[in-house]
Short mmCIF file of all heavy atoms in Angstrom, two decimals:
data_model
loop_
_atom_site.label_atom_id
_atom_site.label_comp_id
_atom_site.label_asym_id
_atom_site.label_seq_id
_atom_site.Cartn_x
_atom_site.Cartn_y
_atom_site.Cartn_z
N VAL A 286 -21.08 32.43 31.66
CA VAL A 286 -20.58 32.40 30.29
C VAL A 286 -19.09 32.76 30.30
O VAL A 286 -18.72 33.86 30.72
CB VAL A 286 -21.35 33.39 29.38
CG1 VAL A 286 -20.73 33.46 28.00
CG2 VAL A 286 -22.82 32.97 29.29
N PRO A 287 -18.24 31.84 29.87
CA PRO A 287 -16.82 32.16 29.76
C PRO A 287 -16.65 33.40 28.89
O PRO A 287 -17.29 33.50 27.83
CB PRO A 287 -16.22 30.93 29.08
CG PRO A 287 -17.20 29.84 29.34
CD PRO A 287 -18.54 30.49 29.40
N THR A 288 -15.83 34.32 29.34
CA THR A 288 -15.75 35.61 28.65
C THR A 288 -14.31 36.06 28.50
O THR A 288 -13.51 35.94 29.42
CB THR A 288 -16.55 36.68 29.43
OG1 THR A 288 -17.91 36.23 29.55
CG2 THR A 288 -16.53 38.02 28.73
N LEU A 289 -14.02 36.62 27.34
CA LEU A 289 -12.78 37.34 27.10
C LEU A 289 -13.13 38.81 27.24
O LEU A 289 -13.87 39.35 26.42
CB LEU A 289 -12.22 37.03 25.71
CG LEU A 289 -11.07 37.91 25.21
CD1 LEU A 289 -9.89 37.89 26.17
CD2 LEU A 289 -10.66 37.49 23.81
N PHE A 290 -12.64 39.43 28.30
CA PHE A 290 -12.93 40.84 28.54
C PHE A 290 -11.87 41.71 27.88
O PHE A 290 -10.67 41.45 28.00
CB PHE A 290 -12.99 41.15 30.04
CG PHE A 290 -14.22 40.62 30.71
CD1 PHE A 290 -14.13 39.57 31.60
CD2 PHE A 290 -15.47 41.17 30.45
CE1 PHE A 290 -15.26 39.06 32.23
CE2 PHE A 290 -16.61 40.67 31.06
CZ PHE A 290 -16.50 39.62 31.96
N LEU A 291 -12.34 42.76 27.21
CA LEU A 291 -11.49 43.78 26.61
C LEU A 291 -11.92 45.12 27.19
O LEU A 291 -12.80 45.79 26.65
CB LEU A 291 -11.67 43.81 25.08
CG LEU A 291 -11.46 42.50 24.34
CD1 LEU A 291 -11.82 42.65 22.87
CD2 LEU A 291 -10.05 42.01 24.51
N PRO A 292 -11.36 45.51 28.34
CA PRO A 292 -11.79 46.76 28.97
C PRO A 292 -11.71 47.95 28.00
O PRO A 292 -10.81 48.02 27.16
CB PRO A 292 -10.80 46.94 30.12
CG PRO A 292 -10.32 45.54 30.41
CD PRO A 292 -10.29 44.85 29.09
N TYR A 293 -12.67 48.83 28.15
CA TYR A 293 -12.75 50.02 27.30
C TYR A 293 -11.42 50.77 27.36
O TYR A 293 -10.98 51.20 28.44
CB TYR A 293 -13.90 50.90 27.79
CG TYR A 293 -14.19 52.08 26.92
CD1 TYR A 293 -14.73 51.93 25.65
CD2 TYR A 293 -13.94 53.37 27.38
CE1 TYR A 293 -15.01 53.02 24.85
CE2 TYR A 293 -14.22 54.47 26.59
CZ TYR A 293 -14.74 54.29 25.33
OH TYR A 293 -15.03 55.38 24.54
N PRO A 294 -10.75 50.95 26.23
CA PRO A 294 -9.39 51.48 26.26
C PRO A 294 -9.28 53.00 26.36
O PRO A 294 -8.18 53.52 26.52
CB PRO A 294 -8.81 51.01 24.92
CG PRO A 294 -10.00 50.95 24.01
CD PRO A 294 -11.14 50.50 24.89
N TYR A 295 -10.40 53.70 26.29
CA TYR A 295 -10.33 55.15 26.27
C TYR A 295 -10.52 55.80 27.65
O TYR A 295 -10.41 57.01 27.76
CB TYR A 295 -11.35 55.72 25.28
CG TYR A 295 -11.04 55.30 23.86
CD1 TYR A 295 -11.77 54.29 23.25
CD2 TYR A 295 -10.02 55.89 23.14
CE1 TYR A 295 -11.50 53.88 21.95
CE2 TYR A 295 -9.73 55.50 21.84
CZ TYR A 295 -10.47 54.49 21.26
OH TYR A 295 -10.19 54.10 19.98
N HIS A 296 -10.81 55.01 28.67
CA HIS A 296 -10.86 55.57 30.03
C HIS A 296 -9.43 55.80 30.49
O HIS A 296 -8.60 54.89 30.42
CB HIS A 296 -11.55 54.62 31.01
CG HIS A 296 -13.02 54.50 30.83
ND1 HIS A 296 -13.88 55.55 31.01
CD2 HIS A 296 -13.78 53.44 30.47
CE1 HIS A 296 -15.12 55.14 30.78
NE2 HIS A 296 -15.09 53.87 30.44
N ARG A 297 -9.17 56.99 30.96
CA ARG A 297 -7.80 57.33 31.35
C ARG A 297 -7.26 56.40 32.43
O ARG A 297 -6.12 55.98 32.40
CB ARG A 297 -7.75 58.78 31.83
CG ARG A 297 -6.34 59.26 32.09
CD ARG A 297 -6.24 60.73 32.37
NE ARG A 297 -7.40 61.19 33.13
CZ ARG A 297 -7.74 62.44 33.26
NH1 ARG A 297 -7.01 63.36 32.70
NH2 ARG A 297 -8.79 62.80 33.96
N ASP A 298 -8.13 56.01 33.38
CA ASP A 298 -7.67 55.16 34.48
C ASP A 298 -7.88 53.66 34.22
O ASP A 298 -7.54 52.83 35.05
CB ASP A 298 -8.34 55.55 35.79
CG ASP A 298 -9.85 55.35 35.77
OD1 ASP A 298 -10.41 54.96 34.72
OD2 ASP A 298 -10.48 55.59 36.82
N LEU A 299 -8.46 53.32 33.07
CA LEU A 299 -8.71 51.93 32.69
C LEU A 299 -9.43 51.16 33.81
O LEU A 299 -9.14 49.99 34.07
CB LEU A 299 -7.40 51.23 32.30
CG LEU A 299 -6.69 51.84 31.09
CD1 LEU A 299 -5.35 51.15 30.85
CD2 LEU A 299 -7.55 51.78 29.84
N HIS A 300 -10.38 51.83 34.47
CA HIS A 300 -11.05 51.24 35.63
C HIS A 300 -11.85 49.98 35.31
O HIS A 300 -12.12 49.20 36.22
CB HIS A 300 -11.97 52.27 36.30
CG HIS A 300 -13.14 52.66 35.46
ND1 HIS A 300 -13.10 53.70 34.57
CD2 HIS A 300 -14.38 52.13 35.37
CE1 HIS A 300 -14.27 53.80 33.97
NE2 HIS A 300 -15.07 52.86 34.43
N GLN A 301 -12.23 49.73 34.06
CA GLN A 301 -12.99 48.52 33.77
C GLN A 301 -12.18 47.26 34.06
O GLN A 301 -12.76 46.21 34.33
CB GLN A 301 -13.47 48.51 32.31
CG GLN A 301 -14.64 49.41 32.06
CD GLN A 301 -15.29 49.15 30.72
OE1 GLN A 301 -14.81 48.36 29.91
NE2 GLN A 301 -16.40 49.82 30.48
N ARG A 302 -10.87 47.35 34.06
CA ARG A 302 -10.04 46.19 34.42
C ARG A 302 -10.40 45.70 35.82
O ARG A 302 -10.44 44.50 36.08
CB ARG A 302 -8.56 46.53 34.36
CG ARG A 302 -8.05 46.84 32.97
CD ARG A 302 -6.54 47.04 32.97
NE ARG A 302 -5.84 45.81 33.28
CZ ARG A 302 -5.64 44.81 32.43
NH1 ARG A 302 -6.11 44.89 31.20
NH2 ARG A 302 -4.98 43.73 32.80
N LEU A 303 -10.66 46.64 36.73
CA LEU A 303 -10.99 46.28 38.11
C LEU A 303 -12.29 45.49 38.19
O LEU A 303 -12.44 44.63 39.05
CB LEU A 303 -11.07 47.53 38.98
CG LEU A 303 -9.79 48.35 39.08
CD1 LEU A 303 -10.04 49.64 39.85
CD2 LEU A 303 -8.67 47.53 39.71
N ASN A 304 -13.24 45.80 37.30
CA ASN A 304 -14.51 45.07 37.29
C ASN A 304 -14.31 43.60 36.95
O ASN A 304 -14.94 42.72 37.54
CB ASN A 304 -15.48 45.68 36.27
CG ASN A 304 -15.89 47.09 36.59
OD1 ASN A 304 -15.88 47.51 37.73
ND2 ASN A 304 -16.22 47.85 35.56
N ALA A 305 -13.47 43.32 35.98
CA ALA A 305 -13.29 41.95 35.48
C ALA A 305 -12.31 41.13 36.29
O ALA A 305 -12.35 39.90 36.25
CB ALA A 305 -12.85 42.00 34.02
N GLU A 306 -11.42 41.76 37.03
CA GLU A 306 -10.36 41.03 37.72
C GLU A 306 -10.85 39.90 38.63
O GLU A 306 -10.24 38.83 38.65
CB GLU A 306 -9.45 41.98 38.48
CG GLU A 306 -8.47 42.67 37.54
CD GLU A 306 -7.57 43.67 38.24
OE1 GLU A 306 -7.73 43.91 39.46
OE2 GLU A 306 -6.70 44.23 37.54
N PRO A 307 -11.94 40.06 39.39
CA PRO A 307 -12.37 38.94 40.23
C PRO A 307 -12.71 37.68 39.41
O PRO A 307 -12.35 36.56 39.81
CB PRO A 307 -13.60 39.48 40.97
CG PRO A 307 -13.40 40.96 40.99
CD PRO A 307 -12.72 41.27 39.69
N LEU A 308 -13.38 37.84 38.28
CA LEU A 308 -13.71 36.68 37.45
C LEU A 308 -12.46 36.08 36.83
O LEU A 308 -12.35 34.86 36.70
CB LEU A 308 -14.71 37.06 36.36
CG LEU A 308 -16.18 36.88 36.72
CD1 LEU A 308 -16.60 37.74 37.86
CD2 LEU A 308 -17.04 37.14 35.50
N VAL A 309 -11.51 36.92 36.46
CA VAL A 309 -10.26 36.43 35.89
C VAL A 309 -9.48 35.66 36.95
O VAL A 309 -8.99 34.55 36.69
CB VAL A 309 -9.42 37.60 35.32
CG1 VAL A 309 -8.04 37.14 34.90
CG2 VAL A 309 -10.15 38.25 34.15
N ARG A 310 -9.37 36.22 38.16
CA ARG A 310 -8.63 35.54 39.25
C ARG A 310 -9.22 34.18 39.56
O ARG A 310 -8.50 33.23 39.84
CB ARG A 310 -8.62 36.41 40.50
CG ARG A 310 -7.53 37.45 40.50
CD ARG A 310 -7.29 38.03 41.88
NE ARG A 310 -8.48 38.55 42.51
CZ ARG A 310 -8.94 39.79 42.36
NH1 ARG A 310 -8.31 40.64 41.61
NH2 ARG A 310 -10.04 40.18 42.99
N MET A 311 -10.54 34.06 39.54
CA MET A 311 -11.17 32.79 39.87
C MET A 311 -11.12 31.79 38.72
O MET A 311 -11.40 30.62 38.91
CB MET A 311 -12.61 32.99 40.37
CG MET A 311 -13.55 33.50 39.31
SD MET A 311 -15.14 34.09 39.94
CE MET A 311 -15.90 32.64 40.53
N GLY A 312 -10.77 32.25 37.53
CA GLY A 312 -10.63 31.35 36.39
C GLY A 312 -11.86 31.25 35.51
O GLY A 312 -11.91 30.41 34.61
#
C-alpha cells in the first residue's frame, strides 16, 4: 500500500523515521 509516513513527532530522537526510510528509498 503506497503510504505517506508521518513519524511520531514527540519522540526526542525521531527514530520512526529510520523505520520508514527503506520504503521511501525504494520508492
Side-chain angles (χ1 to χ4, degrees):
V286 174
T288 302
L289 169 56
F290 287 110
L291 305 174
Y293 186 69
Y295 296 103
H296 288 296
R297 187 172 36 196
D298 64 357
L299 298 176
H300 68 270
Q301 284 193 354
R302 294 185 67 77
L303 299 174
N304 296 334
E306 282 178 356
L308 268 62
V309 172
R310 276 196 306 272
M311 67 193 292

